[in-house]
């Protein structure tokens, strides 16, 4: 959806602010004295902070508890020091250590279990066999975490000042004094918490998003010419900025630590489960022999989880075991989705669906943006352009063709503007008391598309019933959705503070998009010279205006209003000013003193708003569409959001730069346990062009969530608009749908065990340092390598093939083995409409043999099996099969494919009946056999291709519910 920052020039002059100027913070019913916006009582420096002393130690079978007492006079750096703390250390499992430091009085905000359910205390003792060991010094208190299996290694996390660089350290950004490190004591104040850990010099850190990092997927830690990182966590509606805080907050990182002496690497992870606004610093001070991470938080407690891995995928899975594994996806969710802001009526939808089918481009799900609404009001349809009966007929026609429909739900709920205005969702919410309040108990009124709006209070005991009723009523007036798209849930407001309080409601009309003009194009398209078509060629002449097909792309100017580091910025809240890129924490969102049910203040719960909407909506859909898996895509996320939703990467740009940047976004969200993720294909903001859309449609076919979506008044970018894009789409979608059993199995493993479906190359090849910064390629599972074209005008692409020559990589389309450079780039042909995809050896992939127009038709067709042998003649693979829709998941069947010594064995277990037959088995890497047998009987219908060492056994109609053996010799 359109970002609010792109609208600031056309916003209305609003009524004077009533609430939001002064922070009035209540946590769990405990009112803390407001310091207003002044800072005179605080030292604003941690140099003299005394730290803590540990005492009253009690050890148990599962860990220890102790008391921490302030070790000297309070420093009151950015708040009031809390004198008495409790530390609880729990050996949660052999691979997970929980370290929780909180105020003994329990007055600081702690994330409720009702929001994120955490593991219960273990019933088995792991203190003697956990791979993680908790170590501490009592005075001054500090702790460090080591591996039992590698006791001589540098600790995974180490807060001792003796392990950290000497202080004071001057600002690493001379214009921003807050980037100094005055000292590294443990600081625990009501409005400021600080803790730092030493890290190995220049180690590899991934995560800590949501962010579009200029350094790439690997975070900048201040070595190798980098400047370090300040990762701010404060959810914010902004059009995909670079190196700024944005929609979601995920304070989890994976460290991939490489030992150059042994040539071996291991991974570990750290989660600080805290919802407060925060800055997280990654830095390596000048002349320091170590790097560091420092957390600066403006509230809450220190709730750490440490994960021992030792592989990257295991770290991610261990994180999932704490915050919850991802939701089960319906099979249809893996199809191609199509949307734009600017389908003006039902006829546009109908025409679009017809054009897609006429072009032979599979369309699984048609979406509608806010054009659907009447006066931009949630849970309505425009009575002229989207009358309920016509929309119902359209959606049922989709369903009859095994297609689906998804509408948008924005977070701001319109208020009624006068006594004759009837809008049931708002009225019911007032009756059931489910809207966020001002501190005086009046409704908090922000502004979004329909005008003045209220915001759901997800802590209200009645919100689930009101939300469910609104969704159910929507279906009854014609919007018979299959899933829901949640937007603007940072939450976004077009004004700051409760701007509607005391205002004339009728004076603020809904937003009017008439006359909107979109002028931007991709980097190498000159619209002044070539006009607005975006075509690759005009009258036989290339429209590529770049002189070469250089791999560098033009930087996109970062958009923003205000600056987090601007001098004298008044943040209206805690004395420590986190680096919120737009300035005040109240800017274009809810004021930090907005009040939630139970006494919670927005300051403490802001970053969880999207998560709580996702959970509520997921549960509501279970009620509205019983027995079927919900499908949700949402913008603002927080730890555990993947239990309830998928995610799209926000309001990106139709630029080649963003084609590349969406790869790191997909990789990030695998870490965050939100694997159903993808970008707005072809770009959202600005106009796309033919070549960019061609390449992007190919790339997105190999990420989990596949949706083309663009902004209001921009050049249409449906894939049928250009024949080359249509052709690229047909090829890529056919490959995607063939691979659906593989995708589905990867996501089943994610939902059951937390394993990431999409992987950075080094996850599978951890001891190859040349892979640690690779984010222009990725792996689907462990066996599919994707190497897209990311630059305009290119007909070749460079890619690295992991394994340093020990792995045979075969072309997806031709099955030919690649003659790859060991440990370096290989140049591959990449003509337009072609994306390089390669299959790893030692793999066995269950495929759909005949990709259909829809996922349903594809699943109804026969299977094939593609086996890629390694040099030793072995291969292994698995598949998970069920009905693809039932919730909770019903009977299933697990298949295992294992090849060795000229024999392929298929094992089948489970209660689900697979009606479709396995018709073809292809084995790559086989020396020409003289005979082939199936279940011990000779097979006549087999062929062999010498060039690709390819054995193909066809028309075999194997029942996958039983055991099968294929042999060749």
């Amino acid at each position: 959806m359109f970002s609010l920052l792109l609208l600031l020039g056309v916003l209305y002059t609003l009524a004077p602010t009533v609430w939001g100027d002064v922070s009035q913070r209540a946590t769990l019913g405990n009112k803390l004295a407001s310091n207003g916006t002044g800072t005179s009582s605080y030292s604003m420096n941690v140099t003299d902070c005394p730290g803590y002393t540990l005492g009253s130690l009690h050890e148990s079978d599962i860990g220890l508890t102790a008391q921490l007492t302030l070790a000297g006079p309070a420093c009151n750096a950015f708040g009031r020091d809390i004198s008495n703390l409790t530390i609880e250390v729990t050996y949660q499992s052999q691979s997970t250590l929980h370290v929780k430091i909180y105020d003994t009085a329990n007055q600081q905000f702690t994330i409720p279990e009702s929001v994120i359910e955490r593991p219960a205390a273990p019933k088995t003792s792991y203190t003697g066999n956990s791979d993680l060991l908790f170590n501490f010094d009592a005075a001054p208190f500090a702790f460090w975490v080591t591996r039992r299996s590698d006791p001589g290694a540098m600790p995974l996390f180490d807060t001792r000042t003796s392990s950290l660089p000497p202080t004071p350290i001057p600002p690493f950004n001379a214009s921003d004094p807050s980037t100094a490190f005055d000292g590294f004591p443990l600081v625990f104040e009501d409005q400021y918490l600080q803790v730092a850990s030493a890290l190995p010099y220049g180690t590899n850190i991934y995560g800590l998003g949501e962010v579009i990092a200029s350094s790439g997927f690997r975070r900048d830690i201040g070595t190798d010419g980098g400047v370090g990182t300040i990762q701010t966590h404060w959810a914010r509606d902004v059009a995909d900025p670079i190196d700024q805080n944005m929609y979601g907050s995920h304070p989890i990182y994976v460290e991939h630590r490489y030992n150059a002496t042994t040539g071996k690497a291991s991974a570990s992870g750290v989660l600080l489960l805290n919802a407060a606004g925060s800055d997280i610093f990654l830095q390596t001070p000048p002349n320091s022999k170590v790097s560091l991470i420092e957390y600066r938080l403006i509230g809450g407690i220190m709730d750490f989880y440490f994960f021992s891995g030792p592989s990257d995928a295991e770290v991610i899975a261990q994180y999932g075991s704490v915050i919850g594994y991802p939701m089960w996806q319906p099979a249809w969710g893996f199809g191609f989705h199509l949307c734009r802001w600017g389908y003006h009526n039902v006829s546009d939808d109908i025409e679009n669906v017809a054009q897609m089918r006429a072009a032979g481009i599979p369309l699984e799900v048609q979406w509608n943006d806010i054009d659907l609404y009447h006066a931009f009001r949630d849970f309505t349809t425009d009575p002229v352009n989207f009358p309920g009966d016509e929309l119902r007929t359209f959606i049922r026609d989709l369903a009859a063709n095994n297609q689906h429909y998804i509408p948008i739900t924005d977070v701001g709920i319109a208020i009624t503007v006068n006594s004759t205005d009837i809008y049931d969702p708002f009225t019911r919410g007032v009756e059931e008391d489910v809207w966020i309040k001002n501190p005086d108990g009046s409704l908090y009124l922000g502004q979004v598309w329909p005008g003045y709006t209220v915001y759901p209070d997800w802590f209200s005991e009645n919100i689930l019933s009101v939300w469910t009723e609104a969704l159910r009523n929507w279906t009854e007036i014609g919007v018979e959705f299959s899933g829901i798209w949640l937007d603007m849930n940072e939450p976004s407001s077009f004004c700051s503070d409760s701007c509607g309080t005391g205002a004339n409601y009728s004076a603020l009309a809904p937003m009017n998009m008439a006359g909107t003009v979109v002028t931007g194009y991709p980097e190498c398209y000159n619209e002044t010279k070539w006009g607005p078509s975006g075509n690759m060629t005009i009258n036989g002449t290339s429209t590529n205006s770049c002189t070469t097909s250089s791999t560098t792309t033009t930087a996109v100017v970062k958009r923003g209003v205000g600056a987090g580091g601007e001098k004298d910025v008044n943040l209206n809240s805690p004395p420590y000013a986190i680096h919120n890129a737009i300035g005040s924490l109240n800017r274009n969102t809810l004021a930090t003193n907005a009040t939630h049910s139970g006494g919670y203040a927005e300051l403490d719960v802001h970053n969880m708003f999207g998560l709580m909407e996702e959970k509520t909506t997921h549960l509501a859909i279970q009620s509205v569409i019983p027995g079927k898996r919900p499908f949700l895509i949402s913008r603002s996320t927080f730890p555990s959001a993947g239990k309830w939703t998928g995610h799209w990467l926000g309001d990106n740009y139709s630029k080649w730069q963003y084609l590349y940047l969406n790869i790191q976004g997909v990789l990030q969200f695998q870490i965050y346990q939100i694997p159903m993720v993808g970008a707005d294909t072809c770009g959202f903001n600005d106009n796309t062009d033919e070549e960019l859309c061609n390449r992007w449609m190919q790339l997105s076919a190999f990420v989990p969530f596949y949706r083309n979506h663009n902004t209001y008044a921009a050049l249409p970018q449906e894939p049928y608009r250009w024949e080359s894009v249509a052709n690229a789409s047909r090829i890529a979608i056919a490959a995607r749908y063939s691979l659906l059993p593989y995708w589905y199995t990867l996501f089943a493993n994610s939902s059951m065990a937390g394993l990431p479906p999409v992987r950075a190359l080094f996850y599978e090849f951890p001891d190859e340092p040349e892979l640690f910064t690779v984010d222009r390629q990725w792996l689907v599972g462990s066996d599919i390598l994707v190497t897209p074209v990311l630059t305009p005008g290119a007909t070749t692409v460079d890619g690295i093939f992991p394994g340093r020559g020990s792995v045979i990589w075969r072309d997806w389309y031709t099955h030919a083995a690649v003659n790859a450079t060991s440990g370096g780039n290989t140049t591959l042909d990449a003509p337009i409409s072609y994306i390089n995809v390669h299959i790893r050896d030692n793999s066995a992939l269950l495929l759909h043999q005949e990709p259909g127009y829809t996922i349903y038709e594809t699943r109804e067709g026969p299977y094939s099996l593609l086996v890629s042998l390694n040099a030793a003649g072995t291969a292994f693979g698995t598949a998970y099969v069920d009905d693809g829709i039932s919730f909770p998941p019903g009977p299933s069947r697990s298949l295992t494919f294992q090849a060795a010594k000229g024999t392929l064995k298929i094992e089948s277990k489970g209660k689900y009946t697979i009606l479709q037959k396995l018709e073809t088995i292809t084995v790559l890497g086989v020396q020409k056999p003289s005979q082939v047998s199936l279940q011990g009987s000779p097979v006549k219908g087999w062929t062999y291709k010498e060039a690709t060492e390819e054995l193909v056994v066809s028309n075999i109609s194997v029942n996958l519910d039983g055991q099968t053996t294929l042999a060749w010799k």
Side-chain angles (χ1 to χ4, degrees), residues 56-76:
S56 303
L57 176 66
H58 173 71
E59 296 186 87
S60 70
D61 288 342
I62 62 172
L64 62 86
T65 60
Q67 300 302 307
L68 300 177
T69 305
L70 199 65
C75 68
N76 296 329

mmCIF file of all heavy atoms in Angstrom, residues 56-76:
data_model
loop_
_atom_site.group_PDB
_atom_site.id
_atom_site.type_symbol
_atom_site.label_atom_id
_atom_site.label_comp_id
_atom_site.label_asym_id
_atom_site.label_seq_id
_atom_site.Cartn_x
_atom_site.Cartn_y
_atom_site.Cartn_z
ATOM 1 N N SER A 56 22.521 -13.659 47.053
ATOM 2 C CA SER A 56 21.384 -14.560 47.296
ATOM 3 C C SER A 56 21.242 -15.595 46.190
ATOM 4 O O SER A 56 20.149 -15.821 45.656
ATOM 5 C CB SER A 56 20.079 -13.756 47.446
ATOM 6 O OG SER A 56 20.190 -12.803 48.473
ATOM 7 N N LEU A 57 22.338 -16.216 45.832
ATOM 8 C CA LEU A 57 22.351 -17.194 44.740
ATOM 9 C C LEU A 57 21.664 -18.481 45.167
ATOM 10 O O LEU A 57 21.920 -19.016 46.251
ATOM 11 C CB LEU A 57 23.792 -17.488 44.327
ATOM 12 C CG LEU A 57 24.004 -18.560 43.268
ATOM 13 C CD1 LEU A 57 23.435 -18.116 41.926
ATOM 14 C CD2 LEU A 57 25.499 -18.871 43.130
ATOM 15 N N HIS A 58 20.781 -18.993 44.310
ATOM 16 C CA HIS A 58 20.129 -20.277 44.550
ATOM 17 C C HIS A 58 20.185 -21.099 43.275
ATOM 18 O O HIS A 58 19.679 -20.673 42.230
ATOM 19 C CB HIS A 58 18.667 -20.090 44.969
ATOM 20 C CG HIS A 58 17.914 -21.383 45.056
ATOM 21 N ND1 HIS A 58 18.142 -22.310 46.059
ATOM 22 C CD2 HIS A 58 16.951 -21.923 44.252
ATOM 23 C CE1 HIS A 58 17.345 -23.350 45.874
ATOM 24 N NE2 HIS A 58 16.615 -23.141 44.784
ATOM 25 N N GLU A 59 20.831 -22.253 43.355
ATOM 26 C CA GLU A 59 20.934 -23.128 42.204
ATOM 27 C C GLU A 59 19.888 -24.239 42.284
ATOM 28 O O GLU A 59 19.505 -24.675 43.374
ATOM 29 C CB GLU A 59 22.336 -23.734 42.117
ATOM 30 C CG GLU A 59 23.418 -22.691 41.892
ATOM 31 C CD GLU A 59 24.782 -23.302 41.675
ATOM 32 O OE1 GLU A 59 25.117 -23.642 40.520
ATOM 33 O OE2 GLU A 59 25.505 -23.464 42.682
ATOM 34 N N SER A 60 19.436 -24.692 41.111
ATOM 35 C CA SER A 60 18.429 -25.745 41.052
ATOM 36 C C SER A 60 18.777 -26.702 39.930
ATOM 37 O O SER A 60 19.790 -26.543 39.242
ATOM 38 C CB SER A 60 17.039 -25.144 40.798
ATOM 39 O OG SER A 60 16.961 -24.636 39.468
ATOM 40 N N ASP A 61 17.908 -27.688 39.708
ATOM 41 C CA ASP A 61 18.152 -28.673 38.649
ATOM 42 C C ASP A 61 18.055 -28.062 37.255
ATOM 43 O O ASP A 61 18.567 -28.635 36.290
ATOM 44 C CB ASP A 61 17.142 -29.824 38.752
ATOM 45 C CG ASP A 61 17.409 -30.722 39.942
ATOM 46 O OD1 ASP A 61 18.543 -30.659 40.465
ATOM 47 O OD2 ASP A 61 16.497 -31.455 40.344
ATOM 48 N N ILE A 62 17.382 -26.914 37.143
ATOM 49 C CA ILE A 62 17.205 -26.347 35.805
ATOM 50 C C ILE A 62 17.984 -25.052 35.595
ATOM 51 O O ILE A 62 17.959 -24.494 34.497
ATOM 52 C CB ILE A 62 15.717 -26.097 35.501
ATOM 53 C CG1 ILE A 62 15.116 -25.089 36.469
ATOM 54 C CG2 ILE A 62 14.934 -27.407 35.513
ATOM 55 C CD1 ILE A 62 13.701 -24.650 36.095
ATOM 56 N N GLY A 63 18.685 -24.554 36.641
ATOM 57 C CA GLY A 63 19.449 -23.328 36.468
ATOM 58 C C GLY A 63 19.742 -22.649 37.784
ATOM 59 O O GLY A 63 20.132 -23.305 38.758
ATOM 60 N N LEU A 64 19.537 -21.353 37.837
ATOM 61 C CA LEU A 64 19.807 -20.612 39.061
ATOM 62 C C LEU A 64 18.963 -19.349 39.092
ATOM 63 O O LEU A 64 18.495 -18.862 38.065
ATOM 64 C CB LEU A 64 21.293 -20.263 39.181
ATOM 65 C CG LEU A 64 21.928 -19.357 38.119
ATOM 66 C CD1 LEU A 64 21.748 -17.863 38.439
ATOM 67 C CD2 LEU A 64 23.415 -19.658 37.988
ATOM 68 N N THR A 65 18.797 -18.814 40.291
ATOM 69 C CA THR A 65 18.221 -17.484 40.494
ATOM 70 C C THR A 65 19.119 -16.738 41.463
ATOM 71 O O THR A 65 19.818 -17.347 42.289
ATOM 72 C CB THR A 65 16.792 -17.537 41.062
ATOM 73 O OG1 THR A 65 16.825 -18.217 42.333
ATOM 74 C CG2 THR A 65 15.858 -18.271 40.117
ATOM 75 N N ALA A 66 19.113 -15.414 41.349
ATOM 76 C CA ALA A 66 19.920 -14.598 42.253
ATOM 77 C C ALA A 66 19.354 -13.195 42.255
ATOM 78 O O ALA A 66 18.518 -12.828 41.417
ATOM 79 C CB ALA A 66 21.387 -14.602 41.814
ATOM 80 N N GLN A 67 19.827 -12.424 43.200
ATOM 81 C CA GLN A 67 19.446 -11.015 43.290
ATOM 82 C C GLN A 67 20.614 -10.146 42.832
ATOM 83 O O GLN A 67 21.775 -10.449 43.106
ATOM 84 C CB GLN A 67 19.045 -10.650 44.716
ATOM 85 C CG GLN A 67 17.865 -11.446 45.253
ATOM 86 C CD GLN A 67 16.627 -11.293 44.401
ATOM 87 O OE1 GLN A 67 16.200 -10.176 44.113
ATOM 88 N NE2 GLN A 67 16.054 -12.407 43.979
ATOM 89 N N LEU A 68 20.286 -9.074 42.115
ATOM 90 C CA LEU A 68 21.276 -8.096 41.704
ATOM 91 C C LEU A 68 20.956 -6.777 42.396
ATOM 92 O O LEU A 68 19.825 -6.296 42.331
ATOM 93 C CB LEU A 68 21.256 -7.900 40.183
ATOM 94 C CG LEU A 68 21.537 -9.136 39.316
ATOM 95 C CD1 LEU A 68 21.416 -8.792 37.834
ATOM 96 C CD2 LEU A 68 22.916 -9.709 39.613
ATOM 97 N N THR A 69 21.954 -6.208 43.059
ATOM 98 C CA THR A 69 21.769 -4.984 43.818
ATOM 99 C C THR A 69 22.656 -3.892 43.251
ATOM 100 O O THR A 69 23.833 -4.143 42.951
ATOM 101 C CB THR A 69 22.121 -5.205 45.305
ATOM 102 O OG1 THR A 69 21.350 -6.308 45.796
ATOM 103 C CG2 THR A 69 21.827 -3.963 46.126
ATOM 104 N N LEU A 70 22.107 -2.707 43.106
ATOM 105 C CA LEU A 70 22.880 -1.592 42.575
ATOM 106 C C LEU A 70 24.156 -1.436 43.390
ATOM 107 O O LEU A 70 24.121 -1.394 44.617
ATOM 108 C CB LEU A 70 22.035 -0.313 42.630
ATOM 109 C CG LEU A 70 22.464 0.847 41.739
ATOM 110 C CD1 LEU A 70 22.337 0.470 40.259
ATOM 111 C CD2 LEU A 70 21.597 2.075 42.023
ATOM 112 N N ALA A 71 25.284 -1.353 42.702
ATOM 113 C CA ALA A 71 26.589 -1.447 43.374
ATOM 114 C C ALA A 71 27.105 -0.124 43.896
ATOM 115 O O ALA A 71 28.188 -0.085 44.490
ATOM 116 C CB ALA A 71 27.612 -2.062 42.418
ATOM 117 N N GLY A 72 26.377 0.947 43.710
ATOM 118 C CA GLY A 72 26.837 2.249 44.176
ATOM 119 C C GLY A 72 25.757 3.272 43.994
ATOM 120 O O GLY A 72 24.590 2.943 43.724
ATOM 121 N N PRO A 73 26.095 4.555 44.111
ATOM 122 C CA PRO A 73 25.085 5.613 43.933
ATOM 123 C C PRO A 73 24.465 5.552 42.549
ATOM 124 O O PRO A 73 25.147 5.290 41.555
ATOM 125 C CB PRO A 73 25.890 6.903 44.136
ATOM 126 C CG PRO A 73 27.088 6.498 44.913
ATOM 127 C CD PRO A 73 27.414 5.101 44.487
ATOM 128 N N ALA A 74 23.169 5.800 42.501
ATOM 129 C CA ALA A 74 22.468 5.764 41.222
ATOM 130 C C ALA A 74 23.035 6.817 40.282
ATOM 131 O O ALA A 74 23.342 7.939 40.692
ATOM 132 C CB ALA A 74 20.977 6.002 41.440
ATOM 133 N N CYS A 75 23.176 6.444 38.997
ATOM 134 C CA CYS A 75 23.680 7.408 38.011
ATOM 135 C C CYS A 75 22.554 8.125 37.292
ATOM 136 O O CYS A 75 22.749 9.217 36.765
ATOM 137 C CB CYS A 75 24.594 6.710 37.008
ATOM 138 S SG CYS A 75 23.733 5.543 35.909
ATOM 139 N N ASN A 76 21.372 7.496 37.259
ATOM 140 C CA ASN A 76 20.199 8.105 36.609
ATOM 141 C C ASN A 76 20.581 8.714 35.257
ATOM 142 O O ASN A 76 20.361 9.898 35.004
ATOM 143 C CB ASN A 76 19.572 9.166 37.510
ATOM 144 C CG ASN A 76 19.018 8.562 38.788
ATOM 145 O OD1 ASN A 76 18.585 7.413 38.803
ATOM 146 N ND2 ASN A 76 19.042 9.326 39.868
#
